[in-house]
Amino acid sequence: MHARIFLYKIHAQHHQLGEGQGWLLEFKDYFVPSLPVLIIGGVLFYWLVSPAAGISFAAGCFLYASAAAYAHQVQHENPDLCFWLPRPVHHLHHNGKMWHHNFGILVDFWDRVFGTYKKVEYNRERKRYPVSSYFRIKWF
Ligand SMILES: [Zn+2]
Ligand SMILES: [Zn+2]
C-alpha cells in the first residue's frame, strides 16, 4: 500500500482523511480478502488434521479480522484505549505521517520482526476509562 503497488490510492486517501470507516467496513476490508486463506486453510486442516482444527482455523481468521477492524477504528478514535500495545502503532503511523514505519494495526510484532518498528514517544493519558468507552466507537 505504501509502495505504489497494491491499494496505493485507497490507502493514500485513508491517510488524507485520517479516520476509520467504522468497524463493519474495516472488518469487510480485512475479512473478504482473507476468505481464500480461510476456506483453503480451513478445508486442509479439516481433512488433514481434524474437523476441530479446520473450524478453529476458520474461526481464527474471522476473529483476527474482527480484532484488527476494532484495533484500527479505536486507534483512530481514541488511541489511549489500545491498552494491549505499548504504543498505538497505527495511530503513530498516521500522526507521524510515517511512510516506512509502524504498519501494524492489531499487533506490532511484525514491525519488530521486519525492522519497520519505530519507537516514538507517546504519552498515553493515564486515566481509567470506563468499560463502556471501549464500545463507543463508530461501528457502522
Ligand atoms: Zn488508519
Ligand atoms: Zn499507511
Side-chain angles (χ1 to χ4, degrees):
M1 289 189 254
H2 281 232
R4 298 178 190 261
I5 297 171
F6 184 63
L7 299 173
Y8 172 77
K9 275 189 172 178
I10 290 171
H11 193 68
Q13 284 176 339
H14 175 58
H15 269 273
Q16 283 179 335
L17 283 174
E19 61 186 32
Q21 310 171 82
W23 179 86
L24 186 62
L25 288 176
E26 295 294 333
F27 173 75
K28 182 198 70 113
D29 283 355
Y30 304 139
F31 185 67
V32 171
S34 78
L35 276 173
V37 174
L38 181 155
I39 293 167
I40 293 167
V43 167
L44 286 175
F45 276 108
Y46 187 94
W47 291 112
L48 297 177
V49 181
S50 72
I55 292 166
S56 298
F57 183 85
C61 291
F62 180 86
L63 289 174
Y64 192 86
S66 302
Y70 180 81
H72 185 260
Q73 193 62 36
V74 82
Q75 287 184 74
H76 276 285
E77 292 187 24
N78 185 355
D80 284 344
L81 296 176
C82 189
F83 63 87
W84 60 91
L85 290 174
R87 289 168 192 80
V89 284
H90 188 70
H91 167 74
L92 298 173
H93 176 77
H94 276 275
N95 234 28
K97 301 191 181 338
M98 294 181 184
W99 214 243
H100 302 288
H101 297 96
N102 295 345
F103 298 116
I105 293 174
L106 178 60
V107 294
D108 58 15
F109 176 78
W110 295 111
D111 278 315
R112 292 172 190 271
V113 168
F114 292 110
T116 54
Y117 184 79
K118 186 174 185 180
K119 188 176 178 180
V120 177
E121 267 322 301
Y122 175 74
N123 294 317
R124 188 183 305 265
E125 197 171 320
R126 296 277 173 215
K127 75 177 202 184
R128 289 188 63 131
Y129 287 95
V131 173
S132 62
S133 58
Y134 291 88
F135 295 97
R136 269 190 242 119
I137 64 166
K138 180 181 174 186
W139 290 96
F140 306 102

